[in-house]
Amino acid sequence: MEFRAGCVVRYLIVSSFVASGYGVTFSSLHKTVVLSASSPKGHGSLSLSLSLSLSLSLSLSLSLSLSLSLTHTHTHLLGVSACSPNLAVLTAGEDELTITWAFNETFPAGIDSSYKTIKVKLCYAPVSQKNRPWRKTVDELNKDKTCQHKIVERPYTPSNNSFTWRIERDVPSASFFVRAYALDSQQVQVAYGQNTDATKVTDLFHVEAITGRHVSIDVASICFSAFSIVSLVGFFYMEKRKAKVVQDK
Amino acid sequence: MPDQIEGSPGTSMHGVTGREPVLAFSVASPMVPTDTTAKFDLPVDSEHKAKVFKLFSLANPHMRTFHLSWLSFFTTFVSTFAAAPLVPIIRDNINLTKSDIGNAGVASVSGSIFSRLVMGAVCDMLGPRYGCAFLIMLSAPTVFCMALVEDASGYIAVRFMIGFSLATFVSCQYWMSTMFNGKIIGLVNGTAAGWGNMGGGATQLLMPVLFEIIKKAGATPFTAWRIAFFIPGWMNVIMGILVLTLGQDLPDGNLGALQKKGDVAKDKFSKVLWYAVTNYRTWIFVLLYGYSMGVELSIDNVIAEYFYDRFDLKLHLAGIVAATFGMANILARPFGGWTSDFMAKRFGMRGRLWNLWLLQTAGGIFCVCLGLVNSLPLAITFMILFSIGAQAACGATFGIIPFISRRSLGIISGMTGAGGNFGSGLTQLVFFANASFSTAKGLSYMGIMIICCTLPVSLVHFPQWGSMFFPASNDQVKGSEENYYVSEWTEEEKQKGMHQGSIKFAENSRSERGGRVASFPSPPNSTPNHV
């Protein structure tokens, strides 16, 4: 994916175009939601909630940026006080993530009038997408596989949104970031926000998945295997013995 | 004695097609005399092998053996490909990359290349009943081990070990040949092989359903798939026990007798191997089968994941679609044998060769299309057409293999089977373990490779029957079937009379001349034997 440093494109307000069901591309969305994710676990940088103010701008540039570039501006990237990219390792099924999101006040008001729902998702960082085409990032959102785990879906409110999510047990071991999509009344994405930057390398967090193994499964497995071998050998031995008895007679 | 060489178990490996040249559900009495003293449910010949193939009977021992045999083979297919439809879950649990998944697929088919070659010897030593039971009961622990896997290397190792169990193909065919007369063995073997291969399709249905049920019962996904593997594991154990308790090696039930028969003058292995290896046609068919059976095995490994990822189907739906590929075997493989026989009636061996080329190339073309289309209904359509092409080609291949050599038939069949697995491993390694192109592209490239690797069938030439582009030799000596088959024996061997079976076979094979047969005088008093 190419990333255009700096500025934005001209926007055309073509809401009707969106409503027609045309495949929405990520590059056409504007980063107007401020989102931060934090966990009680882990060190410094993560617990400071990175308040990236995302500007909510209403413009969906459809005509042009059908290229694979993320056109969000870095204007929000304020105090990305994220010092190191090494973040805490969270355990699936145990640790929690607290996510807060709000409308970026720096954008003109009224832009968020079409936002009806917010969908917060857990998304794979590029390092976890390598060599795994089933997690590929594609500009067209219908085909995009970056964000496969839903955290929460809520009706949209411009501020005071917070959610604490216990990391579910079907989340794989990988590096993630959190992204929120703002959807309109037709369930079409119109804006987004995420807790990392455009390159998706900072402020990631790692999840350690459960193994799925249990002692009971291990024991059952060993017992059944032993049964199989023992019964085979037993049979063989018994038949040989019977044959010998018959022969001796 | 030449008769016993022919009759000894394992020689009649031929004809894993659906049909034989003669309508082969039963063998009429004048051709093969019935032994009226024997008390079996089915009419039998002098060796007590069944002359009739009654599909829906469980009569002991013949039909019971048939069902035990194909079910064991079916079970090993289920176990070997059980991981494939669950890969979308497994890859997240143990953090697999695309190369890991591809390598595991290669591993799953590689083990049996060797185990199939060894299995013939095992059946000779222990009998097919123990050969089969040993294999499936010893591979049951490997299936259970899947529940313990935690990383990519463990996954690959376990799939490799489970793959050894595909050698039940050999024990299945071997066992059939002890129980069924040579005239109907073609249909019997073909049906058993086709129905066994269906296991690769059934597993794509079975495993996702088991997974869903176990998940509904309360397990998390990463635990549910592990528990799901207990079912194929238990299928192995149960089939093994059934084979041991209900099966018997010979119609008369006597393993000891089998061992006695083995003492009788058998052909020298080194000679048999020599004639197999030095016949160029063997190698062409090894290559060809790698691109009919081989691609079938590769698809069994990748197709569910393909539909899951490309078309965003739910896991069990992807499984259903993938299953239709493998299940087509129930009819497609016998169909290939049937078309082979049909073409042979008119055009002889040349017809069989053209038939094989057409079916396999058509399969290749549909495979190319499968990778190219973007819509689900079209993809399913092309997949089904591809499955029919590839599986019919498998059936058609074994319509020709019996004619390559009479002496080395068993080894050539074995080598061809191994070639299938080798082709599968190779295609998975080249086209599906690579992160540099998508599965869709891999499918299309594989289709192109199928088309290219089917071209060598045009090089197969029989002096007595011709080839795709050249007619038979007009030479009276060189152009005779006898010359071709008897040339596999040295003078000393001929003096010992070891070649008598080949002469009989040559007489029977005259039907491969096609429409010309009627004009060729058949020797008097020729008793048709195995065809």
Side-chain angles (χ1 to χ4, degrees):
Chain A
M1 286 183 86
E2 318 152 16
F3 292 87
R4 281 192 225 153
C7 249
V8 185
V9 207
R10 265 144 244 168
Y11 310 117
L12 304 168
I13 300 170
V14 192
S15 47
S16 59
F17 204 59
V18 172
S20 73
Y22 176 86
V24 182
T25 60
F26 184 75
S27 47
S28 64
L29 299 184
H30 240 30
K31 199 172 179 186
T32 60
V33 176
V34 180
L35 184 135
S36 72
S38 64
S39 158
K41 211 171 175 182
H43 60 81
S45 59
L46 190 52
S47 44
L48 296 177
S49 41
L50 326 151
S51 39
L52 313 165
S53 55
L54 311 165
S55 359
L56 281 182
S57 42
L58 225 201
S59 18
L60 302 165
S61 54
L62 300 149
S63 54
L64 35 175
S65 4
L66 300 187
S67 61
L68 297 183
S69 51
L70 280 185
T71 59
H72 52 267
T73 64
H74 294 241
T75 53
H76 56 289
L77 296 214
L78 53 186
V80 179
S81 46
C83 39
S84 90
N86 294 329
L87 300 166
V89 176
L90 308 169
T91 312
E94 287 172 20
D95 293 325
E96 288 173 345
L97 212 53
T98 307
I99 304 147
T100 59
W101 65 93
F103 176 76
N104 187 344
E105 300 298 327
T106 62
F107 278 79
I111 276 174
D112 59 343
S113 54
S114 65
Y115 302 176
K116 292 287 172 281
T117 340
I118 283 273
K119 211 183 226 180
V120 185
K121 290 178 136 180
L122 195 64
C123 309
Y124 292 105
V127 61
S128 291
Q129 289 176 305
K130 227 170 64 155
N131 216 355
R132 294 177 177 85
W134 56 89
R135 296 178 183 167
K136 203 162 149 197
T137 298
V138 174
D139 202 31
E140 197 182 319
L141 286 170
N142 289 336
K143 301 223 169 101
D144 183 41
K145 303 271 176 101
T146 321
C147 305
Q148 291 184 18
H149 302 272
K150 194 173 98 166
I151 296 177
V152 68
E153 190 168 345
R154 287 253 185 95
Y156 170 74
T157 50
S159 58
N160 280 337
N161 296 296
S162 163
F163 183 73
T164 302
W165 184 61
R166 169 160 286 158
I167 299 177
E168 271 164 31
R169 286 187 291 170
D170 63 352
V171 173
S173 296
S175 297
F176 296 93
F177 62 95
V178 180
R179 180 182 286 169
Y181 284 111
L183 310 166
D184 66 9
S185 48
Q186 258 92 21
Q187 296 288 307
V188 175
Q189 296 92 339
V190 289
Y192 79 101
Q194 61 193 27
N195 80 317
T196 179
D197 63 352
T199 57
K200 299 183 277 186
V201 293
T202 54
D203 301 325
L204 305 174
F205 55 91
H206 306 292
V207 172
E208 195 63 44
I210 60 167
T211 60
R213 285 178 64 181
H214 286 283
V215 176
S216 52
I217 297 183
D218 294 352
V219 168
S221 180
I222 294 173
C223 287
F224 295 157
S225 308
F227 173 75
S228 181
I229 297 176
V230 166
S231 47
L232 174 68
V233 171
F235 237 102
F236 190 62
Y237 178 66
M238 269 172 43
E239 279 209 2
K240 280 266 170 254
R241 227 178 49 171
K242 241 192 255 172
K244 206 166 175 283
V245 166
V246 168
Q247 220 174 29
D248 286 344
K249 278 200 189 150
Chain B
M1 302 295 308
D3 280 319
Q4 268 148 329
I5 291 178
E6 278 174 41
S8 63
T11 55
S12 188
M13 289 272 288
H14 101 265
V16 287
T17 70
R19 293 293 176 94
E20 278 281 276
V22 284
L23 185 53
F25 268 104
S26 60
V27 183
S29 279
M31 279 205 281
V32 175
T34 308
D35 183 346
T36 45
T37 60
K39 285 189 172 50
F40 291 108
D41 286 341
L42 300 173
V44 295
D45 64 12
S46 56
E47 287 176 296
H48 294 175
K49 295 185 185 176
K51 287 166 59 182
V52 165
F53 182 44
K54 248 197 199 156
L55 197 49
F56 296 111
S57 132
L58 282 176
N60 198 20
H62 309 95
M63 289 316 301
R64 190 184 287 187
T65 300
F66 170 77
H67 290 295
L68 284 174
S69 200
W70 82 259
L71 273 171
S72 317
F73 186 37
F74 178 90
T75 303
T76 59
F77 251 89
V78 168
S79 302
T80 304
F81 294 103
L86 295 180
V87 162
I89 311 296
I90 301 175
R91 68 189 178 195
D92 275 345
N93 188 186
I94 56 181
N95 212 7
L96 300 175
T97 61
K98 182 163 180 183
S99 348
D100 292 330
I101 297 173
N103 290 336
V106 174
S108 67
V109 295
S110 312
S112 64
I113 295 176
F114 307 104
S115 62
R116 283 183 176 195
L117 298 174
V118 168
M119 194 56 163
V122 171
C123 286
D124 276 334
M125 281 193 317
L126 296 175
R129 178 173 147 252
Y130 268 119
C132 180
F134 258 90
L135 190 55
I136 54 178
M137 290 185 86
L138 289 181
S139 59
T142 60
V143 182
F144 291 126
C145 270
M146 198 48 127
L148 309 178
V149 157
E150 268 190 11
D151 58 13
S153 45
Y155 177 66
I156 294 174
V158 172
R159 286 207 72 185
F160 177 68
M161 292 192 295
I162 299 179
F164 277 103
S165 63
L166 285 181
T168 36
F169 171 71
V170 175
S171 68
C172 176
Q173 307 285 289
Y174 192 107
W175 209 356
M176 298 291 92
S177 66
T178 68
M179 291 283 174
F180 291 90
N181 180 273
K183 295 230 80 153
I184 55 172
I185 191 63
L187 177 62
V188 174
N189 270 340
T191 312
W195 289 9
N197 280 8
M198 269 198 325
T203 195
Q204 319 270 355
L205 268 176
L206 176 71
M207 297 305 284
V209 165
L210 286 175
F211 172 73
E212 295 293 330
I213 292 176
I214 296 170
K215 235 179 33 164
K216 283 232 159 60
T220 57
F222 291 172
T223 303
W225 76 263
R226 295 169 185 276
I227 300 177
F229 265 86
F230 282 125
I231 305 333
W234 268 104
M235 281 170 70
N236 273 36
V237 176
I238 292 173
M239 276 318 300
I241 293 178
L242 286 177
V243 162
L244 286 174
T245 52
L246 298 178
Q248 56 192 62
D249 294 292
L250 288 178
D252 296 319
N254 225 328
L255 178 60
L258 170 66
Q259 288 171 334
K260 271 202 211 142
K261 261 193 175 186
D263 286 348
V264 171
K266 268 174 96 167
D267 205 347
K268 267 179 80 181
F269 177 75
S270 53
K271 285 246 142 180
V272 172
L273 183 62
W274 175 257
Y275 285 111
V277 162
T278 50
N279 192 332
Y280 75 94
R281 301 170 191 84
T282 306
W283 299 104
I284 295 183
F285 279 96
V286 166
L287 175 68
L288 245 59
Y289 202 57
Y291 283 91
S292 55
M293 169 56 84
V295 300
E296 181 184 335
L297 298 179
S298 302
I299 293 284
D300 278 339
N301 262 332
V302 308
I303 197 75
E305 200 189 344
Y306 177 69
F307 277 99
Y308 180 89
D309 288 333
R310 182 117 190 249
F311 299 101
D312 292 320
L313 292 183
K314 291 229 158 31
L315 199 68
H316 60 275
L317 281 178
I320 292 175
V321 171
T324 53
F325 180 85
M327 301 295 271
N329 256 308
I330 191 173
L331 291 176
R333 188 164 176 143
F335 171 70
W338 181 82
T339 52
S340 186
D341 293 343
F342 181 76
M343 296 285 272
K345 273 197 203 121
R346 249 329 276 292
F347 306 106
M349 178 56 71
R350 295 182 79 182
R352 290 190 192 271
L353 292 168
W354 272 102
N355 172 62
L356 174 58
W357 180 82
L358 281 168
L359 286 170
Q360 198 156 322
T361 304
I365 294 174
F366 292 127
C367 185
V368 174
C369 298
L370 171 62
L372 290 177
V373 294
N374 281 318
S375 91
L376 182 62
L378 272 181
I380 296 180
T381 310
F382 282 125
M383 186 197 72
I384 292 177
L385 291 171
F386 167 41
S387 76
I388 294 174
Q391 289 158 12
C394 291
T397 303
F398 276 90
I400 299 174
I401 296 237
F403 298 102
I404 298 178
S405 158
R406 183 63 192 79
R407 189 172 186 183
S408 309
L409 177 56
I411 291 206
I412 294 180
S413 300
M415 282 170 70
T416 307
N421 281 58
F422 182 76
S424 176
L426 188 65
T427 44
Q428 285 182 80
L429 192 62
V430 171
F431 298 122
F432 300 108
N434 222 323
S436 47
F437 45 83
S438 63
T439 306
K441 277 241 160 58
L443 286 170
S444 298
Y445 292 153
M446 186 171 77
I448 295 174
M449 187 121 187
I450 295 173
I451 297 172
C452 296
C453 289
T454 310
L455 293 172
V457 75
S458 54
L459 300 173
V460 175
H461 180 83
F462 290 92
Q464 67 275 31
W465 299 316
S467 62
M468 275 170 74
F469 298 112
F470 298 107
S473 160
N474 278 324
D475 190 310
Q476 276 288 30
V477 172
K478 288 223 192 92
S480 75
E481 288 82 357
E482 278 80 4
N483 185 61
Y484 179 81
Y485 290 109
V486 169
S487 63
E488 292 180 320
W489 304 92
T490 63
E491 278 312 315
E492 318 165 10
E493 288 164 341
K494 282 191 220 172
Q495 273 169 15
K496 289 191 209 159
M498 289 168 85
H499 66 304
Q500 290 299 327
S502 289
I503 291 189
K504 284 194 184 146
F505 183 77
E507 287 165 8
N508 289 323
S509 68
R510 256 186 265 293
S511 55
E512 296 307 309
R513 291 177 177 237
R516 293 191 288 140
V517 177
S519 59
F520 193 95
S522 39
N525 302 327
S526 57
T527 15
N529 211 322
H530 300 287
V531 180

